[in-house]
Amino acid sequence: MGYGQILHRHGNEEERVHLNVGGVRHEVDPDMLLRFPHTRLARLLRCQSEAAILELCDDYSPADKEYYFDRNPRVFPCVLNFYHTGRIHMMEELCVFSFNQEIEYWGIQELHLSPCCSNWYHERKEYIEDRDWDIRSDDQQQPSFDSSFEELSALDKDLAKFKGAWCAEVRSYVWLRLEDPGHSRASKIIAVASLSVVLTSIVAMCVHSMPEFQHVDDNERPIEDPVLTILEEICIACFSAEFIIRLIVAPSCRKFLGNPLNIIDVASILPFYATLALETADEEVAEENEDIENVGKVVQVLRLMRVLRILKLARHSIGLRALGATIRHSYHEVGLLLLFLSVGISIFSALIYFAEKEEKDTDLGTIPSGWWWATITMTTVGYGDTCPVTLAGKIVATLCIICGLLVVALPITIIFNKFSKYYQRNKGEALRH
């Protein structure tokens, strides 16, 4: 008989639990299983009906009172040893992911791994995950320029939706050339042209802020430079035409409008039309209504929103898409970073207030002013507009700087690793085409 078959055979034979795992029969003491009430076997013993039993095992023999499990019989001795010792050990010849799936099935958490096996287990698991990332990248056949794992096969799914749709061939032909710059030479030309228009629009927006290109009318109201206005209209016409064509040929309008990149496109186009509508209305009511200051402010805000066009570069930039994916998949780490900073800022703003409040020539006489100082200090910006003057304040500042470095460095390392993986993944896809 094997190790698991003779373990804990004391007590009445009728009270022992009969387990058949992968064809190997085990007899164990029920009291030993009930030591860990949240595991599968302990919950199995507390079942009151056969239907409840069959939810936790693959089969059950009421006559023999035997439970059947179609699981790996080589791992089950480790599970039985866990019930005996409270710690689970892993055999080196087992696959870490197979072992992980087994212990999850039996309701055993990784935190119960013995210290002698825990480090090796986690190192091996991380190594295989990194290598599996590279293997999946090499095996990916269809082009994809999305920035997350869930979206890597999105282009394939979109192409499948064209079957049976109206003008399927024409729409799929145009869709591929707009969505996949690596599909053909025409796709690359379209991508370069689109990128050129985006860059031209951004340059025009920056040039517009220069005094040489700012003009006013007879009423001292600012007006647009004629050349920049024409350039702006050409760029908006290109953006609008591209968006409308992409919307028409899209396999799913709902999915298309929900795509973050397409939302950015809309956000970069709408301010122009909203500004145009408000300026037209402004001219119509100018003679009748002198109170048009609010309309002018809205127009200025909408003009400022043109800066969102910079985000259109994400459609053509691997790095920006990788950054977006990193932020989207690292919200726990980002939240942790903000929490650490908030706690540190609250503590050090109070400390610097008590250290500096007796000084007359100080800008840190209130806790709210200490918030600003603690923020720029912990993030290592250090504008120098406010600084402590007392010895106690300088000691607090030193501690604030050290804590800021530690607080920022800890989550940033995790976020950087994710960004590096997303970037290498997308870069590999781009180089393939």
Side-chain angles (χ1 to χ4, degrees):
M1 299 183 74
Y3 165 74
Q5 295 169 283
I6 61 175
L7 186 65
H8 295 284
R9 294 198 57 177
H10 59 276
N12 297 331
E13 184 174 353
E14 296 181 356
E15 296 179 356
R16 289 198 294 270
V17 179
H18 303 282
L19 306 173
N20 191 311
V21 181
V24 180
R25 197 168 186 269
H26 304 266
E27 296 180 3
V28 296
D29 183 6
D31 293 334
M32 179 185 70
L33 302 180
L34 292 172
R35 290 176 55 200
F36 301 94
H38 298 295
T39 60
R40 179 177 290 266
L41 294 178
R43 289 188 289 123
L44 188 66
L45 296 182
R46 296 196 300 270
C47 291
Q48 302 296 324
S49 64
E50 186 173 344
I53 291 174
L54 292 176
E55 289 182 359
L56 297 173
C57 65
D58 296 306
D59 201 1
Y60 173 64
S61 174
D64 300 329
K65 294 184 179 179
E66 187 168 349
Y67 305 93
Y68 294 87
F69 298 89
D70 187 17
R71 308 300 299 183
N72 191 341
R74 297 175 58 197
V75 179
F76 194 67
C78 301
V79 175
L80 287 180
N81 185 57
F82 162 75
Y83 285 102
H84 177 57
T85 63
R87 291 287 181 179
I88 188 164
H89 296 265
M90 178 182 174
M91 294 181 287
E92 291 188 2
E93 62 269 20
L94 293 175
C95 169
V96 290
F97 288 102
S98 176
F99 181 79
N100 177 259
Q101 291 174 354
E102 288 294 321
I103 63 175
E104 283 185 358
Y105 175 81
W106 295 111
I108 303 172
Q109 298 180 357
E110 289 184 358
L111 58 89
H112 292 295
L113 276 168
S114 176
C116 61
C117 300
S118 179
N119 290 337
W120 180 87
Y121 169 82
H122 289 292
E123 288 175 1
R124 183 66 180 170
K125 187 177 179 181
E126 182 178 357
Y127 168 76
I128 295 178
E129 284 177 343
D130 292 340
R131 200 179 78 172
D132 186 52
W133 181 301
D134 297 332
I135 292 174
R136 289 200 306 270
S137 297
D138 295 337
D139 290 343
Q140 194 66 241
Q141 296 298 324
Q142 292 295 336
S144 173
F145 290 84
D146 295 312
S147 55
S148 67
F149 295 140
E150 296 83 0
E151 297 170 341
L152 285 172
S153 60
L155 194 57
D156 294 333
K157 296 178 181 178
D158 289 339
L159 290 174
K161 293 179 181 178
F162 283 113
K163 295 180 179 179
W166 60 276
C167 299
E169 293 185 3
V170 176
R171 290 172 61 202
S172 61
Y173 179 88
V174 177
W175 176 256
L176 269 177
R177 279 147 186 80
L178 291 175
E179 285 295 308
D180 182 14
H183 182 266
S184 63
R185 181 175 297 179
S187 302
K188 294 179 181 178
I189 294 174
I190 293 173
V192 171
S194 177
L195 178 60
S196 301
V197 174
V198 173
L199 293 176
T200 301
S201 176
I202 294 172
V203 171
M205 180 187 65
C206 297
V207 170
H208 182 269
S209 65
M210 299 172 63
E212 295 84 353
F213 295 91
Q214 295 179 0
H215 307 284
V216 294
D217 58 12
D218 296 335
N219 297 323
E220 298 298 324
R221 295 172 56 189
I223 58 174
E224 299 284 342
D225 183 271
V227 177
L228 293 179
T229 300
I230 295 174
L231 192 60
E232 173 87 357
E233 292 173 352
I234 293 174
C235 292
I236 287 296
C238 294
F239 294 152
S240 303
E242 179 190 7
F243 181 80
I244 293 172
I245 293 173
R246 286 164 53 83
L247 178 61
I248 292 174
V249 302
S252 173
C253 291
R254 180 179 298 179
K255 182 179 178 182
F256 176 84
L257 295 175
N259 188 303
L261 293 177
N262 298 326
I263 294 175
I264 291 173
D265 290 344
V266 174
S268 64
I269 296 172
L270 282 182
F272 174 82
Y273 293 107
T275 302
L276 187 62
L278 287 173
E279 287 179 343
T280 303
D282 187 9
E283 293 176 358
E284 293 177 354
V285 302
E287 299 178 357
E288 302 176 0
N289 185 6
E290 296 180 356
D291 188 15
I292 56 174
E293 183 179 354
N294 293 334
V295 176
K297 290 181 179 180
V298 173
V299 170
Q300 293 298 324
V301 171
L302 290 173
R303 285 176 178 169
L304 182 62
M305 289 181 64
R306 289 183 296 184
V307 74
L308 293 176
R309 293 177 196 171
I310 297 176
L311 298 179
K312 284 177 66 68
L313 291 174
R315 189 178 295 279
H316 309 281
S317 171
I318 297 173
L320 285 177
R321 290 202 304 274
L323 178 62
T326 302
I327 295 175
R328 187 167 66 252
H329 291 273
S330 303
Y331 61 91
H332 287 299
E333 290 79 8
V334 174
L336 194 64
L337 175 62
L338 295 177
L339 175 62
F340 288 167
L341 286 175
S342 300
V343 172
I345 289 169
S346 301
I347 292 174
F348 286 106
S349 61
L351 291 177
I352 200 67
Y353 163 72
F354 286 108
E356 297 284 312
K357 66 177 182 178
E358 301 296 335
E359 287 292 323
K360 296 181 179 179
D361 300 329
T362 181
D363 296 326
L364 299 172
T366 62
I367 291 181
S369 62
W371 290 342
W372 168 249
W373 170 84
T375 301
I376 62 177
T377 302
M378 291 197 71
T379 54
T380 67
V381 175
Y383 289 124
D385 53 345
T386 57
C387 58
V389 294
T390 64
L391 177 62
K394 293 178 180 179
I395 294 175
V396 172
T398 303
L399 295 175
C400 183
I401 294 170
I402 295 174
C403 291
L405 290 172
L406 295 176
V407 164
V408 172
L410 292 176
I412 286 295
T413 304
I414 303 173
I415 297 173
F416 171 77
N417 289 336
K418 289 188 176 182
F419 172 81
S420 179
K421 290 181 179 180
Y422 282 116
Y423 180 77
Q424 293 299 329
R425 175 70 176 236
N426 291 339
K427 186 177 179 181
E429 291 290 339
L431 291 176
R432 199 192 323 276
H433 303 282

